[in-house]
Amino acid sequence: MKFWKDLILSSCRESGSSVVSVAILKERFRRKGTVPHCLNTVFYDMLSKRELCSDILLKDHEKTGVYGFNLWTEHINIIENVVATHNLQNKTMKYEDFLIILFQSSNITRNGVDPPIIFLEKEKRLTTKIVIIDDTKTFLIKFASIDGIAQPITNIEKSIYEIEQRENRLVEDITSIEHDISQTMEKVRQHIQNGQKQMAKIVLKKKHILEKSMQLKITALDTLQGILQKIHNCQSDKNVIKAYQLGTDALKNVLNTSGITIEELDNTLTDMKYVLEQHNEMLSMISAVPIDDIDELELELELGNLIDMKLTESNIDKHNFSTPALVPPVDNRPSNAHDFDTEIEKRLAALRVHIESSKLASNAQ
């Protein structure tokens, strides 16, 4: 049983259609005039196990994972790849035009395209609509965007499609008239060559009529193309305005959630200005405070005391050095300061001599 089921699946894949019947399979599997007699049994078994779906239940069948749907899933992936490759998402187009693109891009046949299309429509991956254009019934189709849901075909989209079809017809008519004009001119030349003046004149008159007709159609084509361009511009402007609105709403939400108001901002700036002015005033006051000069003589007296302590530690007789008065009179302070400088230098020199002598004695030992 598994052999025949796998063989049927392979046959469907090869033929590009998941729609099969016992009669079709008998013809496919006919070998030397002999057909397999077990196909009816295989079909009944597959139907009972829901591995096949009868054509009566095709549009209402929702169970996935069955034999037929497995093949339809492959065709669904092929169809969606074709849609993505040719950028057909959210584009309203004639169903027959889509089939031409599909058949050129895959091995799916006309008989095999209906099941995946029905399944995609049930899953809201595409939408369809039947419209009447020039007393002709037309089947329109629109695929959803990637990972989206197909939106219904609106009256605006239907109108755009009708305008585009009329545009195509005008282009075809203009091309046809140009061809007729070319043929007419050939006839005019032929009549002139044959000396048939009146016939050449009649045909030339027809050529002028064709040119006027072509000019009218060119004018109509320009008008239609202008209308289409304005429609597309309006749709683009709508998207721009929508983007502006979204940005404005987002900014409003940010301002509302932040709690910032004009009054609060004004108060904050006023407080900041006041604090900065206070800070600058404090800096000015600090920089204006006078710094007392340090008495150099007192520093020298303190330094002399420290040197005396060091002389005592080094066993140097400090009585060999004279010590000026600690606090001389104010009028004698300049000369007294000079005496202190001289005395301190002598004591520092004595310390250096003592330190060097100690180092020499240490090295000699």
Side-chain angles (χ1 to χ4, degrees), residues 288-305:
V289 175
I291 300 176
D292 294 336
D293 294 334
I294 299 175
D295 193 334
E296 293 292 333
L297 186 57
E298 291 181 0
L299 289 177
E300 292 181 359
L301 287 173
E302 184 177 356
L303 180 60
N305 292 333

Side-chain angles (χ1 to χ4, degrees), residues 110-297:
R110 182 59 184 261
N111 190 38
V113 73
D114 289 337
I117 289 295
I118 293 171
F119 185 81
L120 285 171
E121 187 173 11
K122 290 178 69 65
E123 294 296 317
K124 297 182 179 180
R125 295 292 299 145
L126 66 85
T127 183
T128 60
K129 186 174 185 178
I130 297 176
V131 297
I132 306 298
I133 301 176
D134 295 335
D135 298 329
T136 302
K137 185 182 293 186
T138 303
F139 188 61
L140 299 181
I141 188 171
K142 183 173 74 171
F143 288 90
S145 59
I146 299 175
D147 299 329
I149 297 177
Q151 301 299 320
I153 298 174
T154 63
N155 291 329
I156 295 177
E157 291 173 327
K158 173 179 172 292
S159 300
I160 292 174
Y161 174 79
E162 291 182 9
I163 294 174
E164 289 175 343
Q165 293 305 305
R166 284 176 169 76
E167 178 188 17
N168 294 334
R169 290 196 189 98
L170 282 173
V171 172
E172 293 174 357
D173 291 344
I174 292 171
T175 303
S176 177
I177 292 174
E178 286 181 335
H179 180 70
D180 292 343
I181 291 174
S182 177
Q183 288 185 334
T184 302
M185 286 303 300
E186 289 294 331
K187 291 180 180 179
V188 170
R189 295 187 187 95
Q190 186 176 359
H191 288 312
I192 292 174
Q193 184 177 357
N194 296 334
Q196 299 172 335
K197 179 181 177 182
Q198 292 299 324
M199 289 299 300
K201 186 177 180 180
I202 292 172
V203 177
L204 191 61
K205 185 177 181 180
K206 178 183 178 182
K207 177 245 184 186
H208 284 281
I209 294 174
L210 289 173
E211 287 178 341
K212 289 181 180 179
S213 176
M214 185 176 68
Q215 187 59 46
L216 291 175
K217 291 185 180 295
I218 290 175
T219 303
L221 179 61
D222 290 339
T223 303
L224 278 181
Q225 289 177 339
I227 292 173
L228 277 175
Q229 187 61 44
K230 289 179 180 179
I231 292 174
H232 293 312
N233 289 340
C234 286
Q235 290 178 330
S236 177
D237 294 341
K238 178 182 177 181
N239 294 332
V240 172
I241 293 173
K242 185 177 180 180
Y244 287 164
Q245 186 63 46
L246 290 174
T248 303
D249 293 340
L251 183 58
K252 286 181 180 178
N253 291 332
V254 171
L255 291 175
N256 292 334
T257 54
S258 65
I260 299 175
T261 62
I262 298 297
E263 183 179 357
E264 290 179 353
L265 183 60
D266 183 62
N267 293 335
T268 301
L269 292 176
T270 302
D271 292 342
M272 183 175 67
K273 182 179 179 182
Y274 175 72
V275 171
L276 290 176
E277 289 177 352
Q278 280 190 325
H279 181 259
N280 292 333
E281 185 176 355
M282 292 172 64
L283 291 178
S284 299
M285 293 175 64
I286 292 172
S287 61
V289 175
I291 300 176
D292 294 336
D293 294 334
I294 299 175
D295 193 334
E296 293 292 333
L297 186 57

Side-chain angles (χ1 to χ4, degrees), residues 90-105:
N90 290 323
K91 181 178 180 180
T92 302
M93 61 186 306
K94 190 177 180 181
Y95 182 59
E96 296 297 328
D97 294 338
F98 169 72
L99 291 183
I100 293 174
I101 298 174
L102 179 64
F103 297 155
Q104 291 174 347
S105 307

